[in-house]
Amino acid sequence: MKGQSEYTLLASASRSTNMDRYIKDFLKRKPDGVIVQLGCGLETTFYRDDNGKTHWYGVDLPNVIQYRKSIMPESERENYIAGDAFDPAWLKQVRDEVPTAPVLITASGLFYYFEEDKVLSLMRMLQNNGDIEIVFDTVNKSGMSMMRKQYMKQIHHEDAAMFFYVDSADELAAKIGGGVKVLAEEKYYSHIDKSGIGFSTKLTMIGSDLMKMVKMIHLELH
């Protein structure tokens, strides 16, 4: 796309790389677990990370799920759920089908566009539903300002309203309340191989990590 930079392209690739790492670690720790992708869109995570036995769920709005099915039909261990990620209907379906299995929920590039109260409500909805973990990417307040002013303009989505950011995972856990455990709060590019990347892109990534502008957060929501 015109206006894209090496950094904006690699920021998206880095998110996928980070999510892959968390998913593979979860399946190594809990091979009987299932994966739920909120806002799955046209994600190809299943094809990269499937261990040959895990059941996968993809949740997105009906028109998105319809389009996804036309391109990537469900495999025998995938189930696409047409609905709102913030509606408990998908959670009920998952727990009806796998009542005791450990669940890892991924929210890739999703929460930015929603008010904090809505995201907190989702987290609380997940509590008291067995062994559930959630991993998502986010920014701090400075990172949100940068995304609004520069990043979204570069990818031609400057009209997108963005709200949710996290300065501290511990503070987020306190806002959610209950038995929330912070499993990880990691700098976004700390695990990314930067060899072969342009100097300005590499500098931007290093600066982002130093200021903790973009991050991965992993929570346990018993």
Side-chain angles (χ1 to χ4, degrees), residues 11-22:
S12 296
S14 296
R15 178 168 59 211
S16 296
T17 297
N18 282 325
M19 284 295 179
D20 287 353
R21 183 165 48 83
Y22 281 99

Side-chain angles (χ1 to χ4, degrees), residues 118 125 132 135 171 183 192:
K118 192 159 187 175
M125 179 184 85
I132 291 183
V135 59
E171 290 177 4
L183 298 178
I192 303 301

Side-chain angles (χ1 to χ4, degrees), residues 6 10 14 192-203 205:
E6 183 182 51
L10 290 180
S14 296
I192 303 301
D193 180 4
K194 301 176 183 64
S195 59
I197 295 176
F199 177 75
S200 62
T201 300
K202 190 181 297 185
L203 196 62
M205 288 179 170

Side-chain angles (χ1 to χ4, degrees), residues 96-218:
D96 284 347
E97 295 177 7
V98 286
T100 60
V103 176
L104 175 66
I105 297 167
T106 67
S108 182
L110 178 65
F111 291 152
Y112 304 99
Y113 307 100
F114 299 94
E115 298 279 3
E116 182 181 72
D117 286 348
K118 192 159 187 175
V119 178
L120 292 176
S121 294
L122 169 63
M123 301 291 185
R124 292 167 186 149
M125 179 184 85
L126 299 175
Q127 291 179 300
N128 303 311
N129 279 284
D131 184 354
I132 291 183
E133 299 175 21
I134 186 168
V135 59
F136 59 94
D137 54 302
T138 187
V139 292
N140 63 14
K141 189 174 183 178
S142 297
M144 175 58 72
S145 178
M146 188 70 70
M147 285 187 73
R148 287 171 176 164
K149 291 177 181 178
Q150 296 183 18
Y151 180 78
M152 297 307 286
K153 185 176 181 180
Q154 282 186 294
I155 63 173
H156 307 287
H157 287 297
E158 59 267 31
D159 57 339
M162 305 181 75
F163 307 99
F164 183 73
Y165 63 87
V166 178
D167 281 331
S168 163
D170 287 334
E171 290 177 4
L172 175 66
K175 289 178 182 178
I176 298 167
V180 180
K181 182 179 179 181
V182 178
L183 298 178
E185 181 177 16
E186 293 186 327
K187 298 172 183 177
Y188 195 69
Y189 299 107
S190 60
H191 293 271
I192 303 301
D193 180 4
K194 301 176 183 64
S195 59
I197 295 176
F199 177 75
S200 62
T201 300
K202 190 181 297 185
L203 196 62
T204 302
M205 288 179 170
I206 293 171
S208 174
D209 278 354
L210 285 173
M211 298 177 67
K212 301 179 181 178
M213 293 180 72
V214 194
K215 62 182 79 177
M216 300 296 298
I217 292 181
H218 185 194

Side-chain angles (χ1 to χ4, degrees), residues 1 8-9 28-29 48 50 79 117 122 137 143 214:
M1 292 174 63
T8 60
L9 293 170
K28 185 176 181 180
R29 290 186 289 111
R48 300 192 305 271
D50 180 53
N79 192 343
D117 286 348
L122 169 63
D137 54 302
V214 194

